[in-house]
Each structure stands twice: as C-alpha cells, then as structure tokens.
Amino acid sequence: MNDVLGIINLSESEESIKDLTLNRNLAAIPILGRYRVIDFALSNMVNSGLTNVAVFTYGKARSLIQHLGSGKHWGLDRKKDGLFVFYPEVASEDNIRRNGDINNFKNHLDYLKVSAQPYVIMSRSYMICNIDYTDLVKQHKKSGADITIAYKKMDNSIGRFVECDTLFLDEENNVVSIGQNLGRDRYYNVSMEMYVIKRELLIRMIEDSVQRGDARFLKEAIFNRIGTLDIKGYRFHGYLSCVNSIQNYFETNMDLLNVNTSKDLFSTNGRIYTKVMDAHSVQYLDDSYVVNSLVANGTIIEGTVENSVICRDVHIKKGSIIRNSVVLPNVTINETTNLNYVILDKNVVITEKKMLFGDVGNLFVIKKNMIL
C-alpha cells in the first residue's frame, strides 16, 4: 500500500446534525466516549499501510486541528509524507455549500501533483466502520477499473441511511447509476463514499470540472462520468453507520453498547486510534449504579447511569439518573437530576432538580456551554 495516498474530504452536509456542529466540524464531534468522528477514517487508512494522508477541511476547524496535531497518535508524524491539512481560500461552510469542494481541491492541486503515490483512496469522515483497504485496492487493480466505490448492501427497515447515495449495479458489479435512497426499496446498496482512483485521473477530473463548470462537488464529477469511465463496486460486509444526523449519531453510540458490534468495529481490521488524553480512572462512588454503559476516563459517578455513553471528565452527582443518553466531555450534572434520551454537548452544566426527557425518535439536545 505504499503506492496509495489517502484523502479525507470533509465537505459533508451538516444540516441534520447542526446542533452539534455550531462550533466544530462534523469530523471533530466526540463519539463513543473517547473518540472523534474522524478517528475511524484516519485509523482505516493507517491500518491499511497508508503513510501519506491529507484532510481537506473548511471553517470551524480549530477543534479538529487541536485534535489532529502533528498526526503522531496515528503514526503520521513522519519526515517523508505524513499528515497534511488543507483549507479552502475562504474558510466558510457557506462557501463550501455555494461553490462546492472542487475549488478546494483545485487550489491545492500541487499536493496531488508532487505526491509519489499513483493511486488515491478518498473517504468521508462520517462513515463509521473498520475497513481494510488492502483488499479494495487489490480488486481495483485487478479489475482495471477507473474508479472503484465501496458499498454495503443494507435493509431499509434499519432506517439509518435514508437520503444517502445508492449504487445500482449490473451482474458484473459495474456501477450503472447512482441515486439517493428514499426508503422505498427493502434492500439497497448504500455508497460508503470511499473511492479508489488513479492520481492522474483524479487531477484530470478536477481540472476538467473547473474548466467546464459541470460539477461543483467531486462526487458530482464522478457521477457525471459514469457513462464514460469504468466504475465498479466493492462490497463491504462489516459494521457501518453514517453519522450525518442527530438521530444517527445517537443510534451509533447506542450500537456500541452491544459487545459483538463493539468487537466488530474496534478490532476486526486493526485498532481505532485517537488522541491520547491522560486522566484518572473512572471513580465509582459508594451510591453509584452503572449498567450497560460506556464510561470514559476522568469521570466521577455518584448517581445512576443506564444504557448511556459518558465521555471524558464528566461529573454525575449524587441522586442523578441518566438513561439512554450521550454525555460529551467536561459536563457537570448536579444532584437529583433525571435525564432520558438526552444529548449533552461539551461544557454543559445541568443544575440540580432538573428533569429533561426526549424520546427515541425525538432527542433532547443541549448545546455546548449551556447552563440549564
């Protein structure tokens, strides 16, 4: 895999998860107790042997940059290649939505042109999975395809991937069209938005799209060339979730309370790495009660926690009851508070004797830094 470079493209729609992206990129949202959303995409690449990885980001990137640092936690602090982070000329989410991500790639074409690797793996951050790209690249090379797109066959009864891209394939696994999942069909092939493509072809597609003005987004440029390029699918069989909405974010956290699902995600094709944060072990005080929950280091629990994910440095005080909830870092929950189906963003303080209830289909989200 030393002939492949990785690109993580963060021009992701945040409309359905904007309560958690007011102060950060989607890629920087804390998830599963101790991770950030981008950790899975980065870990997939380094576990597959990639040593040259670029992140194409946009505005609100402070939290993400602080998390990524030099890339040492993923083994990307290297003298040759390593981790690169690129910004659009106007660091604005509105600019990305208006002009697309093609201009961002065009403004940093020098990176692609001077890179030594002939192949590129492109990924989003919000597709949560543990995938070994080695087999994907082998299939791409063997088939002689121009582009290979990873997908997973899903059941719409799960309801997790409505409005995601869907691949329509022929008997030989050729992509004949790409549409959007509207939830009508029982089974469908959800695009994981992971592409393998030759570097020179990628450069040519970016330049052609800018010159012709026929595509604002890179994936749109790919869709427009289905009739002229040989595009094939690669079927993935492991755990997959798309964190593109509040509901999906919550359900992804809840998925990992299942031991078998957790093993699939965290150990099938290598470990998931994240920034190491030194903190004391969880303190369970005398009156605490915790069941079926993930609790990260630095947390102090005096109350009751059930079916919940608790991130780092949270203090749950005596008499509080937390059920079916996700609590992000540095949150304080005071005495005799009752929470159910709630998401608390960073630095939230819940004062004593509060009762906050959502439900499984309508979660109660408390935004960052709020005191309630």
Side-chain angles (χ1 to χ4, degrees):
M1 294 289 282
N2 58 2
D3 60 348
V4 183
L5 69 87
I7 291 177
I8 302 175
N9 182 10
L10 301 187
S11 62
E12 301 161 326
S13 174
E14 299 179 353
E15 184 62 29
S16 298
I17 198 171
K18 59 186 177 182
D19 285 342
L20 296 178
T21 58
L22 293 174
N23 302 286
R24 59 169 79 91
N25 292 65
L26 191 160
I29 298 175
I31 188 170
L32 305 175
R34 62 188 297 264
Y35 299 92
R36 301 290 185 110
V37 170
I38 198 171
D39 291 338
F40 297 88
L42 269 177
S43 297
N44 288 334
M45 290 185 174
V46 299
N47 286 337
S48 300
L50 277 66
T51 59
N52 184 3
V53 178
V55 178
F56 282 77
T57 185
Y58 54 96
K60 301 180 297 185
R62 182 199 58 81
S63 179
L64 178 67
I65 300 307
Q66 185 179 30
H67 178 71
L68 294 177
S70 65
K72 72 174 183 178
H73 300 287
W74 298 269
L76 292 173
D77 54 336
R78 307 169 58 89
K79 291 182 178 180
K80 181 180 179 182
D81 293 332
L83 178 67
F84 300 86
V85 181
F86 298 108
Y87 310 86
E89 290 185 351
V90 178
S92 165
E93 179 181 358
D94 290 335
N95 186 60
I96 287 288
R97 289 177 178 172
R98 183 171 60 253
N99 298 324
D101 56 22
I102 283 286
N103 279 330
N104 195 15
F105 286 105
K106 185 259 295 183
N107 292 335
H108 301 291
L109 271 181
D110 285 349
Y111 165 73
L112 288 171
K113 290 180 177 179
V114 302
S115 294
Q117 294 84 358
Y119 293 93
V120 179
I121 291 176
M122 304 193 67
S123 174
R124 301 288 194 175
S125 74
Y126 57 29
M127 289 291 180
I128 304 296
C129 64
N130 191 335
I131 181 172
D132 182 0
Y133 285 124
T134 305
D135 187 55
L136 170 57
V137 173
K138 284 181 179 178
Q139 176 180 306
H140 176 77
K141 293 177 179 178
K142 183 177 180 180
S143 69
D146 296 308
I147 302 172
T148 301
I149 306 175
Y151 72 92
K152 183 174 180 180
K153 188 172 183 178
M154 299 295 296
D155 187 331
N156 249 327
S157 63
I158 298 174
R160 190 76 61 87
F161 297 92
V162 174
E163 298 186 359
C164 286
D165 295 333
T166 303
L167 304 186
F168 293 89
L169 307 166
D170 64 15
E171 296 81 3
E172 297 179 350
N173 219 30
N174 296 306
V175 178
V176 295
S177 66
I178 301 177
Q180 189 178 70
N181 176 31
L182 299 180
R184 293 180 179 178
D185 299 330
R186 175 66 187 274
Y187 297 102
Y188 61 100
N189 300 316
V190 62
S191 170
M192 296 169 65
E193 299 192 51
M194 298 175 182
Y195 312 95
V196 182
I197 183 173
K198 278 193 173 181
R199 181 172 55 89
E200 293 297 332
L201 176 58
L202 176 60
I203 293 170
R204 189 164 68 250
M205 285 177 55
I206 294 169
E207 292 177 335
D208 287 349
S209 296
V210 173
Q211 182 172 330
R212 298 175 185 174
D214 62 350
R216 296 184 303 119
F217 290 89
L218 187 58
K219 75 173 183 179
E220 183 183 358
I222 294 173
F223 296 174
N224 290 344
R225 289 161 174 78
I226 288 178
T228 58
L229 295 179
D230 181 9
I231 304 177
K232 294 189 179 296
Y234 170 86
R235 186 172 178 179
F236 174 69
H237 295 278
Y239 172 83
L240 176 68
S241 184
C242 182
V243 182
N244 62 350
S245 69
I246 292 292
Q247 189 67 35
N248 285 355
Y249 173 77
F250 174 78
E251 292 180 3
T252 302
N253 278 278
M254 294 300 105
D255 283 348
L256 274 299
L257 298 180
N258 180 294
V259 174
N260 291 330
T261 304
S262 183
K263 286 181 179 179
D264 185 358
L265 181 60
F266 287 103
S267 60
T268 300
N269 294 306
R271 297 174 57 190
I272 303 299
Y273 300 97
T274 189
K275 181 179 180 180
V276 176
M277 303 285 286
D278 295 326
H280 61 77
S281 300
V282 180
Q283 297 183 35
Y284 300 97
L285 302 189
D286 290 342
D287 294 325
S288 66
Y289 175 77
V290 180
V291 61
N292 193 39
S293 298
L294 290 172
V295 183
N297 288 355
T299 292
I300 301 172
I301 299 181
E302 303 177 62
T304 296
V305 179
E306 298 179 3
N307 305 318
S308 296
V309 174
I310 312 297
C311 292
R312 296 182 174 107
D313 301 317
V314 172
H315 191 174
I316 300 173
K317 295 188 178 181
K318 189 173 181 179
S320 292
I321 301 174
I322 317 299
R323 294 190 176 100
N324 308 306
S325 297
V326 179
V327 181
L328 274 61
N330 304 311
V331 168
T332 300
I333 301 172
N334 282 290
E335 291 84 353
T336 59
T337 293
N338 195 339
L339 309 179
N340 196 9
Y341 290 108
V342 174
I343 298 175
L344 303 181
D345 205 342
K346 285 184 68 175
N347 306 324
V348 165
V349 176
I350 304 297
T351 56
E352 62 183 15
K353 300 180 181 179
K354 290 292 188 297
M355 298 181 68
L356 306 176
F357 296 152
D359 60 51
V360 68
N362 189 18
L363 299 155
F364 196 155
V365 181
I366 308 300
K367 298 176 183 177
K368 185 177 179 180
N369 299 323
M370 288 191 67
I371 300 175
L372 194 62

